[in-house]
């Protein structure tokens, strides 16, 4: 959408284009979707496409540079899931039992990749209240003939002792190396830590965010609630995401490679230079 905006913009000034691009991204962040992933990806997109505009002599040249870099950014984003699934599927071996939470496209693609390699494994999927997004994940897995079981969120502790590892996605990866993800992820990580089970996170680098929460209260309201809910009494609302500290995360599988939580800050510096 941002690339289409750059292509159709006709005001004729670089500053006007950049400012309108910022406003367009603010509108995107205030749509009725959780904004953690949107916020980081919009900021990285804006920085990436405006990186070389000062080297352009005319507005038309600047517009073409931004459009070219925007398309390059989108192509890299589309390729990132392929890189992640190739890395993470190597950790899935015959006979293993995996616990996942909610519905993550990159986790789904990884599990499908492993199944296509003729590996036999079993997946346990939480219902993931309040929107029961885990049920969609369960149906997707069944559609690809992957052995899976749908469990209630309350059964996490019960099932944890019988699984080999946890594999989840992320709405955002913060500076500490922790993650923001669907509510219940922190509970799952606590249980995995208590039972000494690896907790793996699969996520694209565009979700790396310049945020350093110390606890659940440090998460911005726009991360936790839909825009239609933010004008009311938030104390009565159910948060959509929670924060999992880095001490509970074993590894992060990203398009930048396999990272420990402590390596995230270095990668963030490189991304935002």
């Amino acid at each position: 959408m941002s690339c289409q905006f750059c292509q159709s913009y006709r005001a004729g000034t670089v500053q006007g284009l950049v400012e309108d691009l910022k406003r367009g991204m603010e509108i995107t962040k205030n749509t009725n979707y959780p904004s953690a992933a949107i916020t980081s990806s919009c900021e990285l997109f804006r920085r990436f496409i405006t990186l070389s505009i000062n080297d352009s002599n005319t507005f038309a040249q600047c517009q073409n540079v931004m459009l070219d870099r925007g398309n390059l950014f989108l192509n890299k984003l589309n390729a990132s899931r392929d890189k992640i699934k190739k890395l993470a599927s190597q950790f899935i071996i015959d006979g293993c039992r995996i616990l996942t939470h909610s519905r993550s496209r990159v986790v789904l693609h990884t599990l499908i990749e492993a199944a296509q390699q003729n590996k036999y494994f079993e997946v346990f999927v939480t219902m993931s209240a309040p929107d029961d997004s885990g049920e969609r994940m369960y149906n997707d897995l069944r559609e690809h003939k992957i052995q899976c079981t749908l469990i209630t969120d309350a059964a996490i502790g019960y099932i944890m002792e019988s699984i080999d590892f946890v594999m989840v996605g992320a709405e955002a990866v913060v500076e500490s190396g922790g993650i923001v993800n669907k509510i219940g992820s922190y509970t799952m990580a606590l249980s995995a830590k208590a039972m000494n089970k690896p907790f793996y996170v699969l996520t694209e680098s565009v979700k790396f965010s310049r945020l350093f929460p110390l606890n659940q209260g440090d998460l911005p309201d726009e991360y936790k609630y839909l825009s239609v809910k933010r004008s009311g009494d938030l104390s009565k609302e159910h948060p959509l995401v929670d924060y999992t500290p880095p001490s509970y995360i074993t590894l992060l599988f990203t398009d930048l490679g396999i990272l420990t939580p402590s390596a995230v800050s270095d990668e963030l510096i490189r991304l935002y230079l």
Side-chain angles (χ1 to χ4, degrees):
M1 185 180 295
S2 296
C3 285
Q4 293 170 349
F5 171 80
C6 291
Q7 191 171 24
S8 61
Y9 189 80
R10 293 290 180 266
T13 66
V14 173
Q15 187 61 33
L17 175 56
V18 172
E19 290 302 318
D20 280 1
L21 187 61
K22 288 180 182 178
R23 281 191 286 272
M25 290 177 174
E26 284 301 316
I27 292 171
T28 303
K29 286 189 281 187
N30 285 304
T31 53
N32 205 28
Y33 293 95
S35 70
I38 296 172
T39 299
S40 58
S41 57
C42 280
E43 175 61 18
L44 281 169
F45 178 82
R46 184 187 65 81
R47 292 176 66 87
F48 186 78
I49 70 169
T50 58
L51 193 63
S52 302
I53 59 174
N54 292 332
D55 298 332
S56 305
N57 295 321
T58 67
F59 173 76
Q61 288 176 336
C62 170
Q63 190 176 28
N64 287 333
V65 167
M66 292 177 73
L67 187 60
D68 288 344
R69 291 186 68 82
N71 286 324
L72 177 61
F73 182 92
L74 293 177
N75 289 336
K76 290 175 67 175
L77 176 60
N78 290 333
S80 62
R81 288 197 189 108
D82 286 337
K83 294 179 181 178
I84 296 167
K85 74 181 184 182
K86 285 181 172 60
L87 290 173
S89 62
Q90 298 174 39
F91 281 63
I92 300 174
I93 61 174
D94 278 335
C96 72
R97 293 156 65 89
I98 305 164
L99 175 62
T100 191
H101 184 52
S102 186
R103 183 183 184 273
S104 162
R105 283 179 292 180
V106 69
V107 171
L108 175 61
H109 291 178
T110 298
L111 296 172
I112 293 171
E113 173 76 10
Q116 289 174 344
Q117 296 171 7
N118 295 319
K119 295 178 181 178
Y120 175 81
F121 54 91
E122 187 174 3
V123 184
F124 294 88
V125 188
T126 58
M127 286 289 293
S128 189
D131 62 357
D132 294 339
S133 54
E135 191 167 357
R136 290 176 56 208
M137 182 71 161
Y138 169 75
N139 290 330
D140 289 337
L141 292 170
R142 289 193 64 189
E143 190 176 308
H144 286 88
K145 312 300 182 186
I146 295 173
Q147 180 68 31
C148 56
T149 303
L150 188 65
I151 65 171
T152 65
D153 294 4
I156 288 173
Y158 177 86
I159 204 71
M160 188 65 70
E161 65 182 21
S162 67
I163 61 103
D164 293 291
F165 57 84
V166 176
M167 184 175 279
V168 299
E171 289 290 325
V173 180
V174 298
E175 290 186 53
S176 64
I179 64 166
V180 178
N181 198 42
K182 181 66 182 291
I183 189 77
S185 298
Y186 182 37
T187 303
M188 187 175 284
L190 284 168
S191 180
K193 188 75 169 182
M195 297 191 187
N196 201 30
K197 304 289 183 175
F199 189 90
Y200 298 138
V201 177
L202 280 57
T203 181
E204 304 90 336
S205 60
V206 294
K207 294 181 179 179
F208 283 24
S209 176
R210 291 188 297 179
L211 184 72
F212 203 110
L214 298 177
N215 51 45
Q216 307 299 331
D218 285 343
L219 293 179
D221 286 343
E222 58 265 28
Y223 281 27
K224 294 189 287 187
Y225 309 103
L226 299 178
S227 59
V228 294
K229 303 289 188 180
R230 290 177 215 148
S231 58
D233 182 5
L234 293 179
S235 66
K236 306 297 183 183
E237 294 297 331
H238 195 297
L240 299 174
V241 298
D242 57 26
Y243 167 59
T244 301
S247 57
Y248 297 97
I249 297 170
T250 309
L251 290 171
L252 296 102
F253 295 83
T254 78
D255 48 297
L256 304 176
I258 301 175
L259 306 176
T260 61
S262 61
V264 168
S265 59
D266 290 338
E267 295 299 336
L268 260 166
I269 291 170
R270 294 188 185 97
L271 285 171
Y272 282 94
L273 276 178

